[in-house]
PDB file of all heavy atoms in Angstrom:
ATOM      1  N   LEU A   3     -32.199 -23.972 -29.077  1.00 93.00           N
ATOM      2  CA  LEU A   3     -31.590 -25.287 -29.233  1.00 93.00           C
ATOM      3  C   LEU A   3     -31.213 -25.448 -30.694  1.00 93.00           C
ATOM      4  O   LEU A   3     -32.044 -25.252 -31.579  1.00 93.00           O
ATOM      5  CB  LEU A   3     -32.591 -26.371 -28.814  1.00 93.00           C
ATOM      6  CG  LEU A   3     -32.134 -27.812 -28.896  1.00 93.00           C
ATOM      7  CD1 LEU A   3     -31.004 -28.087 -27.912  1.00 93.00           C
ATOM      8  CD2 LEU A   3     -33.310 -28.747 -28.621  1.00 93.00           C
ATOM      9  N   THR A  23     -24.164 -22.389 -24.076  1.00 85.00           N
ATOM     10  CA  THR A  23     -23.927 -22.564 -22.644  1.00 85.00           C
ATOM     11  C   THR A  23     -23.895 -24.033 -22.251  1.00 85.00           C
ATOM     12  O   THR A  23     -23.319 -24.384 -21.230  1.00 85.00           O
ATOM     13  CB  THR A  23     -25.016 -21.844 -21.818  1.00 85.00           C
ATOM     14  OG1 THR A  23     -26.296 -22.289 -22.252  1.00 85.00           O
ATOM     15  CG2 THR A  23     -24.912 -20.342 -21.973  1.00 85.00           C
ATOM     16  N   HIS A  24     -24.541 -24.889 -23.043  1.00 88.00           N
ATOM     17  CA  HIS A  24     -24.573 -26.322 -22.773  1.00 88.00           C
ATOM     18  C   HIS A  24     -24.463 -27.080 -24.092  1.00 88.00           C
ATOM     19  O   HIS A  24     -24.928 -26.599 -25.130  1.00 88.00           O
ATOM     20  CB  HIS A  24     -25.879 -26.730 -22.108  1.00 88.00           C
ATOM     21  CG  HIS A  24     -26.103 -26.172 -20.749  1.00 88.00           C
ATOM     22  ND1 HIS A  24     -26.231 -24.837 -20.496  1.00 88.00           N
ATOM     23  CD2 HIS A  24     -26.223 -26.772 -19.552  1.00 88.00           C
ATOM     24  CE1 HIS A  24     -26.430 -24.633 -19.217  1.00 88.00           C
ATOM     25  NE2 HIS A  24     -26.428 -25.797 -18.616  1.00 88.00           N
ATOM     26  N   SER A  29     -22.259 -40.717 -27.674  1.00 94.00           N
ATOM     27  CA  SER A  29     -21.382 -41.359 -28.661  1.00 94.00           C
ATOM     28  C   SER A  29     -22.163 -42.019 -29.799  1.00 94.00           C
ATOM     29  O   SER A  29     -21.630 -42.174 -30.897  1.00 94.00           O
ATOM     30  CB  SER A  29     -20.477 -42.381 -27.982  1.00 94.00           C
ATOM     31  OG  SER A  29     -21.253 -43.388 -27.363  1.00 94.00           O
ATOM     32  N   ALA A  36     -28.746 -32.519 -43.121  1.00 63.00           N
ATOM     33  CA  ALA A  36     -29.311 -31.170 -43.093  1.00 63.00           C
ATOM     34  C   ALA A  36     -30.802 -31.187 -42.754  1.00 63.00           C
ATOM     35  O   ALA A  36     -31.363 -30.161 -42.399  1.00 63.00           O
ATOM     36  CB  ALA A  36     -29.086 -30.491 -44.438  1.00 63.00           C
ATOM     37  N   SER A  40     -34.468 -30.589 -33.873  1.00 94.00           N
ATOM     38  CA  SER A  40     -34.485 -30.831 -32.432  1.00 94.00           C
ATOM     39  C   SER A  40     -35.448 -29.838 -31.791  1.00 94.00           C
ATOM     40  O   SER A  40     -35.798 -28.831 -32.400  1.00 94.00           O
ATOM     41  CB  SER A  40     -33.079 -30.671 -31.844  1.00 94.00           C
ATOM     42  OG  SER A  40     -32.585 -29.374 -32.100  1.00 94.00           O
ATOM     43  N   CYS A  41     -35.866 -30.143 -30.549  1.00 96.00           N
ATOM     44  CA  CYS A  41     -36.766 -29.213 -29.857  1.00 96.00           C
ATOM     45  C   CYS A  41     -36.754 -29.486 -28.359  1.00 96.00           C
ATOM     46  O   CYS A  41     -36.411 -30.574 -27.910  1.00 96.00           O
ATOM     47  CB  CYS A  41     -38.194 -29.313 -30.389  1.00 96.00           C
ATOM     48  SG  CYS A  41     -38.990 -30.894 -30.090  1.00 96.00           S
ATOM     49  N   GLY A  56     -32.191 -43.500 -37.072  1.00 95.00           N
ATOM     50  CA  GLY A  56     -33.609 -43.742 -36.848  1.00 95.00           C
ATOM     51  C   GLY A  56     -34.033 -43.607 -35.398  1.00 95.00           C
ATOM     52  O   GLY A  56     -35.199 -43.782 -35.081  1.00 95.00           O
ATOM     53  N   THR A  63     -31.910 -31.659 -19.908  1.00 95.00           N
ATOM     54  CA  THR A  63     -31.101 -30.474 -20.180  1.00 95.00           C
ATOM     55  C   THR A  63     -30.363 -29.954 -18.948  1.00 95.00           C
ATOM     56  O   THR A  63     -29.342 -29.291 -19.081  1.00 95.00           O
ATOM     57  CB  THR A  63     -31.959 -29.339 -20.772  1.00 95.00           C
ATOM     58  OG1 THR A  63     -33.010 -29.029 -19.857  1.00 95.00           O
ATOM     59  CG2 THR A  63     -32.535 -29.743 -22.113  1.00 95.00           C
ATOM     60  N   GLU A  66     -27.415 -32.561 -18.695  1.00 95.00           N
ATOM     61  CA  GLU A  66     -26.849 -32.834 -20.016  1.00 95.00           C
ATOM     62  C   GLU A  66     -26.665 -34.328 -20.285  1.00 95.00           C
ATOM     63  O   GLU A  66     -25.831 -34.731 -21.080  1.00 95.00           O
ATOM     64  CB  GLU A  66     -25.522 -32.091 -20.205  1.00 95.00           C
ATOM     65  CG  GLU A  66     -25.650 -30.600 -20.068  1.00 95.00           C
ATOM     66  CD  GLU A  66     -24.334 -29.864 -20.173  1.00 95.00           C
ATOM     67  OE1 GLU A  66     -23.389 -30.399 -20.781  1.00 95.00           O
ATOM     68  OE2 GLU A  66     -24.260 -28.744 -19.652  1.00 95.00           O
ATOM     69  N   ARG A  73     -36.920 -46.104 -30.307  1.00 98.00           N
ATOM     70  CA  ARG A  73     -36.635 -46.747 -31.593  1.00 98.00           C
ATOM     71  C   ARG A  73     -37.908 -47.293 -32.223  1.00 98.00           C
ATOM     72  O   ARG A  73     -38.624 -48.071 -31.615  1.00 98.00           O
ATOM     73  CB  ARG A  73     -35.642 -47.873 -31.398  1.00 98.00           C
ATOM     74  CG  ARG A  73     -34.331 -47.376 -30.826  1.00 98.00           C
ATOM     75  CD  ARG A  73     -33.162 -47.918 -31.605  1.00 98.00           C
ATOM     76  NE  ARG A  73     -31.924 -47.424 -31.041  1.00 98.00           N
ATOM     77  CZ  ARG A  73     -31.158 -46.517 -31.624  1.00 98.00           C
ATOM     78  NH1 ARG A  73     -31.499 -46.022 -32.789  1.00 98.00           N
ATOM     79  NH2 ARG A  73     -30.038 -46.124 -31.061  1.00 98.00           N
ATOM     80  N   SER A  74     -38.161 -46.849 -33.448  1.00 96.00           N
ATOM     81  CA  SER A  74     -39.237 -47.393 -34.262  1.00 96.00           C
ATOM     82  C   SER A  74     -38.989 -47.071 -35.732  1.00 96.00           C
ATOM     83  O   SER A  74     -39.457 -47.789 -36.599  1.00 96.00           O
ATOM     84  CB  SER A  74     -40.592 -46.837 -33.821  1.00 96.00           C
ATOM     85  OG  SER A  74     -41.637 -47.466 -34.516  1.00 96.00           O
ATOM     86  N   SER A  85     -45.876 -32.264 -27.674  1.00 97.00           N
ATOM     87  CA  SER A  85     -47.221 -31.710 -27.528  1.00 97.00           C
ATOM     88  C   SER A  85     -47.160 -30.509 -26.590  1.00 97.00           C
ATOM     89  O   SER A  85     -46.168 -30.318 -25.866  1.00 97.00           O
ATOM     90  CB  SER A  85     -48.176 -32.761 -26.958  1.00 97.00           C
ATOM     91  OG  SER A  85     -47.815 -33.099 -25.630  1.00 97.00           O
TER      92      SER A  85
END
Side-chain angles (χ1 to χ4, degrees):
L3 180 65
T23 54
H24 295 64
S29 61
S40 59
C41 65
T63 58
E66 301 177 24
R73 300 228 180 252
S74 186
S85 66

